[in-house]
Structure formats: C-alpha cells, structure tokens
C-alpha cells in the first residue's frame, strides 16, 4: 500500500502550505519577532494568537516526517496536538494514522480562521476523517478531554507548554511520547517546561535533540517482504 504521505493530493496540499508559508511568513515573521522582543509583560493566549494571526508558522518538512515516523512506529490510538495553524503537522500525523489503519488526532487551535483552513486542508489531503480540529484554548480543551493520550505534540507557544502538559497529565498513558518543538528557538519561554520534564521527581525521562545537526528517524511504510515469506 502506498503511504498516504505519497498520494498526489496529499503532496499538493503540503506543497501548497509550504509555498504560502514562505511567501507570507517572510513578511510576517520579522514583525512578530519584533513584537515579542518589545513586549515587557507576559502574553495571554488570546494576545499571542492575535499577534500571529496573519502568519503560518508551520514546522519544517523534516519535523512533519519525524511526526509521521513517530506515529507509524508507536501506533497511538489518540494523538493530541497543541497548535494546528493551517494543518501542516496535523496532516502528517493524520497520514500516519491512516497508514496505521486506526487512531485519531485531536488538534487545538484558538484562531477561528486557521481552524477552518486546517479542516479544509486535511479534507483536501484525504485524511480529514483521522483528525478533529477543536477550536479553543488548548489548556481549556484538555481540562475536559476524556480520552487517554498516547502521543502529545506541543507546537503552540513555548510559554504555554508547561500549562498544556499539566492539563494533559491526568490523561497521559504510561509510556506516552511527548514532543515539544522550538525549545531552543524560544529558549526563555520554554525554560519552565524544560525544568519540569527534566526533573525526575515529576515522572519524566527527557532529552534534548539538536535538530538541524544531522538526525534521522525512520519507519517502514510497507509490509516487509521477509515478514510475508
Ligand atoms: C507554530 S503555530 C502551529 C504550527 C502547526 N503545528 C504546523 O506546523 O503546521 C502555533 C499555533 O498555535 C496557536 N495557539 C497558540 N496558543 C494557543 C492556545 N493557547 N490555544 C490554542 N491555540 C493556540 C496559534 O494560533 C498558532 O496558529
């Protein structure tokens, strides 16, 4: 079976998001970084979401493939994503769930327009049935989330990672995988989160991965010939 990731409609949607992101974020990202630098007080989620409303801020394709790999290899029933944006990472996760043949992604996004765009992108990529885009504040959504979480992907804003993790904690499966992005890029914001997950008394084993320095994780997307014989 060809992986969902290689189907033409999937490739078209992912390429479209990447192209738009380069065009839009080239202008929007410097504006956002200036606002973040000039800000002297902590942001509320609503203020930050408004500040980045005109940008994409999608993860790079390598992270998309890494998420795909994690989901194919660990076969989670429930994945929770903090920060959907236009659905670039959500599509990779949903493609892996589709290849697994089971599982569901719940992805939280506060911005209404991005929720609509992500739902459309997931549907156009052919994996809409594996993902539910939930409009709202991630911590609030998690406070009433009733499913056991096998894989938690954090890609909203680093300042909120700890709050989101603590809200997810009662639902985390023993052995759940937690992937937090941009912890070096936004090191100051991520600090409380990193201190928490690196303190063994909080129940985690945690390590930093320096992406961009030669790291590759892979999973096999077809049935092994050896397994068939
Ligand atoms: C870096 S972008 C996500 C990118 C996406 N994962 C991708 O790679 O395609 C972060 C997103 O998180 C959303 N966000 C930030 N804080 C949030 C919160 N507290 N609750 C829900 N969404 C939030 C923002 O509106 C923004 O669209």
């Amino acid at each position: 079976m060809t992986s969902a990731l290689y189907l033409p409609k999937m490739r078209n949607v992912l390429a479209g998001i990447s192209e738009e992101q380069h065009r839009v974020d080239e202008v929007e990202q410097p504006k956002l970084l200036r606002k973040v630098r000039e800000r002297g007080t902590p942001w509320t989620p609503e203020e930050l979401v408004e500040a980045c409303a005109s940008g994409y801020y999608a993860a790079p394709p390598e992270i998309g493939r890494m998420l795909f790999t994690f989901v194919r290899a660990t076969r989670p029933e429930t994945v929770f994503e903090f920060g959907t944006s236009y659905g670039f990472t959500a599509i990779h996760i949903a493609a892996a769930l589709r290849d697994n043949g089971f599982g569901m992604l719940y992805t939280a996004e506060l911005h209404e327009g991005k929720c609509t765009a992500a739902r459309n992108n997931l549907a156009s990529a052919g994996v809409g049935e594996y993902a539910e885009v939930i409009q709202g504040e991630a911590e609030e959504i998690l406070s009433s989330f009733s499913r056991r979480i096998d894989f938690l992907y954090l890609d909203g804003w680093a300042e909120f990672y700890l709050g989101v993790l603590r809200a997810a904690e009662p639902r985390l499966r023993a052995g759940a995988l937690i992937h937090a992005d941009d912890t070096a890029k936004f090191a100051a914001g991520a600090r409380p989160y990193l201190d928490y997950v690196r303190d063994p008394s909080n129940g985690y084993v945690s390590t930093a991965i320096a992406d961009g320095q030669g790291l590759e994780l892979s999973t096999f997307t077809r049935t092994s010939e050896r397994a068939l014989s």
Side-chain angles (χ1 to χ4, degrees):
M1 182 182 82
T2 305
S3 168
L5 208 51
Y6 297 135
L7 297 177
K9 59 185 170 185
M10 165 77 56
R11 293 163 77 113
N12 285 343
V13 173
L14 292 175
I17 298 175
S18 288
E19 259 171 48
E20 268 301 283
Q21 134 132 327
H22 281 124
R23 194 182 62 76
V24 171
D25 287 357
E26 197 175 356
V27 179
E28 293 302 324
Q29 187 151 355
K31 288 195 222 163
L32 176 64
L33 292 177
R34 206 163 38 245
K35 281 186 210 162
V36 169
R37 261 198 312 273
E38 286 166 3
R39 174 88 179 197
T41 52
W43 298 81
T44 65
E46 290 74 15
E47 285 173 332
L48 248 185
V49 167
E50 187 51 40
C52 74
S54 10
Y56 273 64
Y57 308 113
E62 293 79 4
I63 294 289
R65 298 243 162 183
M66 186 185 281
L67 293 167
F68 180 91
T69 304
F70 285 158
V71 172
R72 278 298 270 143
T74 64
R75 302 172 67 77
E77 275 174 24
T78 301
V79 183
F80 191 96
E81 177 182 41
F82 166 40
T84 320
S85 192
Y86 286 77
F88 189 75
T89 44
I91 290 170
H92 284 84
I93 294 168
L97 294 173
R98 182 272 202 189
D99 283 5
N100 284 347
F102 64 91
M104 191 71 187
L105 166 67
Y106 299 87
T107 175
E109 172 58 59
L110 193 48
H111 190 276
E112 189 180 357
K114 289 184 178 178
C115 286
T116 306
R119 287 185 194 111
N120 290 339
N121 286 334
L122 282 154
S124 304
V127 289
E129 70 194 274
Y130 291 94
E132 184 180 329
V133 179
I134 309 176
Q135 195 199 336
E137 201 285 312
E139 247 186 88
E140 276 175 32
I141 292 168
L142 280 165
S143 65
S144 58
F145 192 73
S146 59
R147 289 167 197 278
R148 189 187 70 162
I149 298 170
D150 302 300
F151 178 20
L152 176 66
Y153 173 51
L154 304 174
D155 191 31
W157 299 120
E159 283 84 344
F160 306 129
Y161 284 0
L162 181 55
V164 171
L165 178 71
R166 296 303 304 274
E169 223 163 46
R171 311 301 318 160
L172 285 181
R173 170 171 71 73
L177 175 63
I178 301 137
H179 173 154
D181 256 350
D182 297 331
T183 49
K185 189 169 164 191
F186 299 112
R191 192 72 258 160
Y193 175 83
L194 296 178
D195 288 344
Y196 183 82
V197 291
R198 290 175 187 174
D199 177 346
S201 70
N202 291 319
Y204 296 86
V205 173
S206 198
T207 190
I209 304 289
D211 56 353
Q213 291 194 36
L215 174 145
E216 184 163 311
L217 295 170
S218 307
T219 189
F220 192 51
T221 60
R222 295 193 215 126
T223 310
S224 160
E225 280 174 18
R226 198 178 297 163
L228 285 175
S229 62

